Amino acid sequence: GTGFEDITRNNIPQMLKCGDWDIVTIQQASGYSWRPESYRPCGDFVVKTIRDLAPGAEIVMQQTWSYAVGEKRLDSWGITQDEMYEKLRCAYRDFALIHGLRVIPMGDAVQEWRKRLPVKGIGSSFLFYLSRISSYLSKENDVVNFFKRKAQK
């Protein structure tokens, strides 16, 4: 086990205090990720809390990806899949710059993958498969690129 089995998922401050963390990842909920105003002030508090409770940890943002073409929420927000992607990309970048954080560019990887799909405009019925594929992309992106850059520092 990890030694943290008795700490519930809802007690993040306790978990941060109990460990000697190298990296702590944070991310904005996907439905809010394209709205830059949703990152602050709560995100500032999260970063401060992590820095206070796990001062040796590097805080890294895990970028989310935009919803699939045809997702009803895009229509209700009056934006396209590409617009959601561009907005969330800028929101992550800006928040990370304010706090000096690196970003794991998962949304960028998914967007690039979408460009290479032989069939365009895959709708929300494909979301289940996107979660499986994003898991693969995330592993490739996180492990190969992220730690490679860390080792080069």
Side-chain angles (χ1 to χ4, degrees), residues 27-90:
Q27 75 178 57
Q28 178 56 295
S30 61
Y32 295 101
S33 64
W34 64 280
R35 299 176 184 199
E37 68 277 6
S38 72
Y39 288 67
R40 302 183 78 201
C42 293
D44 300 330
F45 175 75
V46 169
V47 170
K48 181 184 180 324
T49 300
I50 295 167
R51 287 187 171 146
D52 289 347
L53 300 177
E58 177 186 8
I59 304 169
V60 179
M61 294 189 76
Q62 166 79 22
Q63 183 189 61
T64 57
W65 53 88
S66 58
Y67 292 157
V69 171
E71 168 61 46
K72 293 176 184 175
R73 287 172 283 191
L74 293 174
D75 292 336
S76 70
W77 297 330
I79 61 173
T80 66
Q81 183 271 322
D82 286 330
E83 289 170 328
M84 183 180 181
Y85 164 69
E86 288 301 328
K87 288 175 182 281
L88 75 84
R89 188 169 192 270
C90 290

Side-chain angles (χ1 to χ4, degrees), residues 95-116:
F95 187 83
L97 284 171
I98 289 167
H99 293 285
L101 309 177
R102 291 192 297 156
V103 176
I104 300 170
M106 194 58 223
D108 295 346
V110 170
Q111 194 72 5
E112 183 60 32
W113 172 77
R114 285 175 170 153
K115 289 179 189 175
R116 296 176 188 202

